[in-house]
Amino acid sequence: MSTCTVEDLLIIGSGPAGLTAAIYAARANMHPLVLHGSQPGGQLTTTTRVDNFPGFAQGVEGPDLMQVMEQQALRFGTRIQQETVIKADLTPPVFEVTTEGGCYQSRALIIATGASAKMLGLENEWELYGRGVSVCATCDGFFYKDKDVVVVGGGDTAMEDATFLARFARSVTVVHRRDSLRATPPLQQRARDNERIRFRWNSVVTSIDGTVETGLQGITLENVETGAQEKVECDGLFVAIGHKPNTDLFKGQIKLNEGGFVQTHNHTATTIPGVFAAGDVQDEEFRQAITAAGSGAQAAIQAERFLESLSDRRAAP
Ligand code: NAP
């Protein structure tokens, strides 16, 4: 016999999508249970000031925003467990989720597992992770006061990271594989205007130098047009080349697109009735905190309608 707790609504993930879904679901008396996951609060806990989330005229720090969202969800009776899901069985009619600490069954499920930072795929990047290699400028920037750091990438994250790191570091070198940036114009301009930031165009990192004992000592850059290689000494390497959706748990059970993002239709519905997806895990295009929050609200409302349809069916003569 199963010893899993049976819930009406389980939400996996506690970023803006998961917590907004929780606020809406709790206010609709669905008594949601949120499983925190390995990065409580999601990606915003690794960012600095958020200036484009409505309601904060002076901007808000990412971690503060997530803390307030969590408090708002708790205020209406959301339960939040600090557990990471290791297995999910999406076979209807009751979905079963296993964590390291136990298991949960639920009649409706919202997947809000977000996305994780992509790495370069170089030999010792994990060995030197936390010893000079980082994916989180906000978390680690403070350790690079008066040091030389490199940021890889040409998107919004790379520009934000470079600008943030320039507050501490002696120099910030942005390494980008092309000669034009993907980042939105205001973020590009802010980085270009910063005299501590310089750009290495048409360049990729081909090796990371250092050992566990020495920490990061430098990198080798290759110019993709000329093939020229160059050693660059640096103390920090911040990888900002995008994110991979956290959907491994659901592979083969719901439809994912080519990039691995959950494919949704009719807003947040997945290919399994009763399973909804919200936030970055299903949004390859926008991936903004506000769009994640919006889809979290949609997912909760759709889950509520789904649960109502189940009770209507049970009540039917
Ligand atoms: P992104 O937009 O996907 O940009 C990734 C960057 O990394 C691109 O410049 C890409 O180069 C480069 N890249 C990818 N794989 C690489 C590899 N293997 N080696 C070297 N370079 C590689 O990712 P993001 O910057 O993390 O942004 C993700 C989303 O979040 C975007 O929609 C962005 O607008 C949003 N965002 C918004 C804000 C904000 O509004 N404040 C802040 C951060 C992020 P190519 O350009 O050549 O493809």
Side-chain angles (χ1 to χ4, degrees):
M1 203 178 90
S2 173
T3 53
C4 300
T5 316
V6 182
E7 303 289 337
D8 271 338
L9 176 63
L10 199 58
I11 299 170
I12 311 177
S14 57
L19 290 179
T20 306
I23 292 165
Y24 272 72
R27 282 173 56 78
N29 275 335
M30 283 191 279
H31 310 293
L33 175 68
V34 175
L35 299 178
H36 240 169
S38 56
Q39 192 178 3
Q43 289 176 67
L44 275 188
T45 56
T46 64
T47 197
T48 43
R49 207 175 70 215
V50 179
D51 274 330
N52 51 11
F53 199 91
F56 297 90
Q58 306 306 322
V60 58
E61 294 294 313
D64 295 344
L65 177 61
M66 295 323 298
Q67 204 180 3
V68 174
M69 269 192 214
E70 183 176 306
Q71 286 163 359
Q72 194 176 354
L74 291 171
R75 185 177 141 219
F76 296 109
T78 298
R79 292 156 301 144
I80 301 180
Q81 297 270 50
Q82 296 191 15
E83 291 187 59
T84 300
V85 176
I86 51 176
K87 192 173 159 223
D89 181 350
L90 303 187
T91 313
V94 177
F95 313 112
E96 189 168 309
V97 158
T98 308
T99 66
E100 269 152 12
C103 76
Y104 301 89
Q105 289 185 334
S106 190
R107 293 177 186 88
L109 178 72
I110 295 177
I111 298 171
T113 47
S116 300
K118 283 187 192 164
M119 298 299 282
L120 294 168
L122 294 171
E123 205 181 315
N124 53 353
E125 67 187 339
W126 284 114
E127 203 175 296
L128 292 177
Y129 192 83
R131 295 181 173 86
V133 176
S134 172
V135 295
C136 179
T138 322
C139 318
D140 302 330
F142 183 77
F143 301 114
Y144 293 89
K145 199 164 174 346
D146 299 324
K147 308 262 187 204
D148 299 311
V149 302
V150 168
V151 174
V152 186
D156 282 344
T157 304
M159 294 309 105
E160 278 203 331
D161 284 2
T163 306
F164 178 71
L165 289 165
R167 290 189 205 169
F168 309 95
R170 179 170 52 198
S171 75
V172 180
T173 303
V174 175
V175 172
H176 185 38
R177 62 185 178 184
R178 293 187 291 130
D179 63 0
S180 64
L181 297 168
R182 177 181 296 276
T184 44
L187 296 185
Q188 275 195 37
Q189 203 52 50
R190 199 169 61 171
R192 287 178 192 270
D193 289 346
N194 191 315
E195 58 187 21
R196 286 198 198 180
I197 301 175
R198 55 177 176 244
F199 291 83
R200 295 296 297 265
W201 305 108
N202 299 313
S203 298
V204 292
V205 181
T206 52
S207 75
I208 301 175
D209 308 324
T211 62
V212 173
E213 289 72 35
T214 63
L216 176 74
Q217 294 182 306
I219 55 172
T220 304
L221 289 183
E222 181 180 305
N223 183 305
V224 293
E225 294 200 317
T226 63
Q229 303 255 346
E230 186 191 341
K231 289 226 177 250
V232 175
E233 283 184 11
C234 61
D235 308 289
L237 174 67
F238 289 83
V239 181
I241 60 169
H243 290 81
K244 174 186 172 297
N246 296 320
T247 49
D248 286 352
L249 288 168
F250 315 111
K251 263 184 195 152
Q253 302 191 72
I254 46 175
K255 194 161 183 189
L256 307 178
N257 73 9
E258 273 180 13
F261 290 80
V262 177
Q263 203 155 327
T264 49
H265 61 277
N266 183 22
H267 307 296
T268 66
T270 69
T271 40
I272 300 177
V275 177
F276 303 89
D280 287 11
V281 74
Q282 53 84 55
D283 178 9
E284 198 166 7
E285 188 178 347
F286 300 107
R287 289 173 291 167
Q288 302 295 299
I290 189 63
T291 51
S295 70
Q298 290 176 328
I301 293 168
Q302 291 190 285
E304 184 190 359
R305 289 177 188 158
F306 174 78
L307 288 170
E308 260 171 24
S309 74
L310 289 185
S311 43
D312 287 350
R313 249 176 272 157
R314 277 200 293 266

